[in-house]
Amino acid sequence: KDRKNYTVPAMIKELEKIECSKTVNNIYELRYALTARQKKILKLFDIDEKYLRSEVKKINKNMEEIFSEK
């Protein structure tokens, strides 16, 4: 049923909407909650929201290490 709506370009366009941004506390967070469609697409790659959030935490940790060295 949804097959024609999940072309590779359409999936890439949908995943490009996932972004994180820096908050006033200098912490990166996912900007928006994932949509059902994004979750379906990510599931095809064995990626879930929990994994994405853990990756954002890694980014925060790496940024903290970079800036603490200066």
Side-chain angles (χ1 to χ4, degrees):
K1 170 179 155 181
D2 288 334
R3 191 176 192 141
K4 67 180 176 181
N5 295 326
Y6 286 97
T7 63
V8 172
M11 287 192 294
I12 291 171
K13 187 178 264 189
E14 189 65 32
L15 294 177
E16 284 178 338
K17 296 176 187 177
I18 300 172
E19 57 184 80
C20 52
S21 60
K22 196 175 190 180
T23 65
V24 289
N25 301 334
N26 291 327
I27 296 173
Y28 287 91
E29 296 179 342
L30 284 178
R31 192 162 194 175
Y32 307 105
L34 296 178
T35 65
R37 188 172 188 175
Q38 290 167 337
K39 288 177 184 178
K40 279 184 185 178
I41 295 167
L42 289 171
K43 188 175 182 180
L44 297 171
F45 299 100
D46 290 327
I47 298 173
D48 60 4
E49 192 166 357
K50 184 178 178 181
Y51 174 78
L52 280 180
R53 292 193 184 282
S54 71
E55 290 300 304
V56 173
K57 284 182 183 180
K58 286 180 189 177
I59 291 169
N60 283 318
K61 185 177 180 184
N62 290 337
M63 295 301 285
E64 187 177 296
E65 290 173 4
I66 290 169
F67 288 111
S68 67
E69 290 175 359
K70 290 184 177 184

